[in-house]
């Protein structure tokens, strides 16, 4: 078997894992109850990933302390808030996970410090090693006292003891990474203390050292304690991170200190290092969008691996099994960590083990359902897997009566509806006007950094063929033709149409879709109108193809309307566009065109910009005319996806899943 090495056993301390796959910490916002235990959603969520073949489950963050740094309750599980209840709820989860021969670690946090996300944790007075600026709020953090530090250390011992009693096989400490509280102590840029917790590196790591020593004292030397660790921060300044390829002076942890810190942390007793890079000041490294390359942490994991003698775990867009295999074979790491890919497909590992690679539902690295929803709504989900984190409630039930269902439109909503209907035992029939399935995923996946959009199309094509779904391409149906077909229900998934603006010489005005599909020649000088998600990604795509691109946006900033839900995505894209040479004009609009230029109103002043073409990326309107024609004639009629409301891939898929799961 090609991927046999990925399924070899590996040990952390004396604990043997059945394969080289770990679930990266994802959650558990929305997966806790009011008393700090795991709720049923959380239990089902983690168990599903164990059932899917993952060797090691690492829970998302749990707080050991809720007094020094307050967090709104219920928020995430807490092993020290109500220990009896925590043990009771956790024990059910760990026993179920062990039934699948998987292991599970509880991730325990010292706190967020200056990076508390107010929408998640509340606007409590923030704490830090020193009086430093908060990452998001216009506040200065309060310096922790020595007694408060020691109190948190003791609670780590309590939390680990309760975790061990609850059946957890080990713990992961959160974290000397990403700029969380422990990381703030470890980095001189944040830590200005003059006591035993400040100054030299050994002092700045004292907090992390005392934690592992306390846990080992309480739980025994053989109880595995791992650490999430970033050997490099990519911090240019306060709230300012570096982009890939950018030259800058590191204000956070540089690699030289990162490798030295790794050696010290292992000497203190940490049994494995879970490696990434970045910080919340450069959080597109810690939470990599699709604009970051796959396997971006591998070089850093290898540097750490060469410096320490404990297992190294590597995450960071590792969903490509060939990439994962090469990382192991090259000695860059010992364990492959999957976060978002296991949200997208909890059965990823079992499918890979049995050679069913084409059956693995791809992650888009979009952050819409996971980090974006965590950030905005304090709840975890997945854009391409509506059942993520609600496995039991959203489980598909066999249909009591088989229905033949006509689906008008083979975009993402139509494909998802057909998949769900077929799994339930219905007979869906797709009618698609173009020559292939996929809808807006096809132009959306044209840029190199959007390859996973096309992977999702391929997955739908493969899955629907495997399910035997009847598909008619190059077919546009009229109201009368639909009424003449013998079906039990009709789903309208006709998508949306791009908005068109009159801009003078329309012969040089194109839509983003036509440009992305290479239907037109833009020439060398391109003006993109609209600085939303489509416009920014299009401008970046054209710039990477060597075009001279100008981006014109009527709002006072890029991505001001309907941008990515996750700020790691939006902030990276907003900075990446000018970094790649795109000339950006905000508070501006194109008012006319000439043969060779676009006339742009820039803050009230007219400017001529050289333009061989003008590309419109100013939004879409729902195409629901067919629904309007049929809504008084067909009883079981539904409109889904962009045809209902133009949003994004996530909501199109969720729409379709909801309707098809209950038809």
């Amino acid at each position: 078997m090609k991927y046999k090495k990925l399924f070899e056993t590996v040990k952390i301390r004396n604990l043997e894992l059945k394969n080289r796959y770990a679930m990266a910490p994802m959650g558990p916002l929305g997966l806790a109850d009011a008393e700090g235990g795991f709720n049923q959603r959380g239990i089902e969520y983690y168990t599903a990933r164990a059932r899917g073949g993952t060797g090691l489950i690492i829970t998302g963050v749990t707080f050991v302390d809720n007094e020094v740094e307050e967090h709104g309750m219920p928020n995430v599980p807490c092993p020290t808030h109500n220990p009896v209840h925590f043990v009771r709820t956790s024990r059910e989860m760990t026993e179920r996970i062990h039934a699948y021969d998987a292991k599970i670690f509880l991730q325990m946090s010292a706190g967020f410090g200056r990076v508390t996300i107010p929408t998640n944790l509340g606007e409590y007075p923030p704490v830090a090693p020193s009086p430093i600026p908060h990452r998001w709020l216009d506040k200065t953090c309060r310096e922790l006292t020595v007694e408060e530090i020691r109190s948190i250390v003791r609670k780590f011992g309590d939390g680990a003891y309760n975790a061990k009693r609850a059946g957890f096989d080990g713990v992961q400490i959160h974290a000397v990474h990403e700029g969380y509280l422990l990381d703030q102590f470890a980095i001189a840029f944040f830590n200005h203390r003059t006591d035993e917790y400040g100054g030299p590196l050994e002092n700045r790591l004292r907090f992390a050292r005392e934690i592992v020593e306390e846990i080992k004292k309480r739980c025994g030397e053989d109880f595995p304690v791992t650490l999430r660790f970033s050997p490099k921060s990519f911090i240019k300044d306060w709230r300012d991170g570096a982009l890939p390829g950018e030259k800058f002076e590191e204000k956070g942890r540089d690699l030289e200190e990162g490798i030295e810190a790794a050696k010290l942390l292992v000497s203190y007793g940490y049994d494995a290092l879970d490696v990434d890079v970045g910080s919340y000041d450069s959080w597109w490294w810690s939470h990599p969008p699709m604009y970051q390359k796959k396997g971006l942490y591998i070089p850093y994991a290898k540097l750490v691996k060469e410096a320490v003698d404990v297992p190294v775990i590597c995450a960071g867009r590792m969903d490509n099994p060939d990439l994962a295999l090469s990382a192991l074979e090259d000695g860059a790491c010992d364990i492959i960590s999957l976060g978002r890919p296991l949200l997208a497909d909890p059965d990823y590992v079992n499918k890979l083990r049995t050679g069913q690679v084409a059956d693995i539902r791809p992650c888009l690295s979009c952050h819409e359902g996971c980090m974006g929803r965590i950030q905005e709504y304090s709840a975890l989900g997945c854009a391409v897997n509506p059942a993520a984190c609600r496995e039991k409630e959203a489980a598909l039930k066999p249909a009591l009566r088989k229905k033949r269902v006509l689906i008008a439109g083979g975009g993402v909503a139509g494909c998802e509806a057909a998949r769900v209907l077929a799994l339930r035992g219905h007979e869906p029939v797709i009618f698609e006007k173009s020559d292939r399935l996929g809808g807006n995923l096809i132009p959306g996946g044209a840029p190199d950094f959007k390859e996973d959009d096309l992977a999702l199309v391929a997955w739908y094509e493969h899955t629907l063929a495997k399910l035997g779904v009847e598909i008619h391409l190059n077919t546009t149906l009229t109201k009368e033709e639909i009424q003449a077909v013998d079906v039990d229900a009709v789903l309208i998934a006709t998508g949306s149409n791009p908005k068109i603006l009159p801009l003078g010489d329309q012969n040089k005005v194109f839509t983003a879709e036509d440009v992305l599909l290479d239907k037109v020649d833009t020439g060398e000088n391109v003006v993109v109108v609209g600085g939303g998600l489509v416009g920014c990604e299009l401008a970046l795509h054209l710039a990477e193809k060597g075009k001279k691109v100008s981006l014109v946006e009527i709002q006072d900033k890029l991505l001001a309307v309907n941008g990515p839900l996750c700020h790691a995505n939006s902030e990276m894209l907003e900075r990446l566009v000018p970094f790649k040479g795109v000339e950006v004009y905000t508070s501006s609009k194109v008012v006319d065109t000439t043969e060779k230029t676009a006339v742009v109103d820039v803050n009230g002043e007219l400017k001529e910009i050289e333009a061989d073409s003008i590309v419109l990326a100013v939004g879409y309107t729902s195409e629901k005319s067919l629904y309007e024609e049929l809504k008084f004639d067909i009883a079981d009629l539904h409109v889904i996806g962009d045809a209902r409301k133009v949003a994004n891939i996530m909501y199109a898929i969720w729409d379709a899943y909801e309707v098809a799961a209950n038809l």
Side-chain angles (χ1 to χ4, degrees), residues 614-647:
I614 297 170
V615 184
L616 299 177
V618 291
Y620 295 80
T621 56
S622 295
E623 176 47 71
K624 59 175 65 177
S625 58
L626 192 57
Y627 172 77
E628 295 295 336
E629 292 176 14
L630 290 165
K631 68 181 181 181
F632 296 115
D633 299 308
I634 295 178
D636 208 350
L637 176 71
H638 305 272
V639 57
I640 57 176
D642 278 3
R644 183 181 71 81
K645 180 182 178 182
V646 176

Side-chain angles (χ1 to χ4, degrees), residues 361 392 479 629:
R361 176 166 37 196
K392 193 169 185 178
K479 170 187 175 181
E629 292 176 14

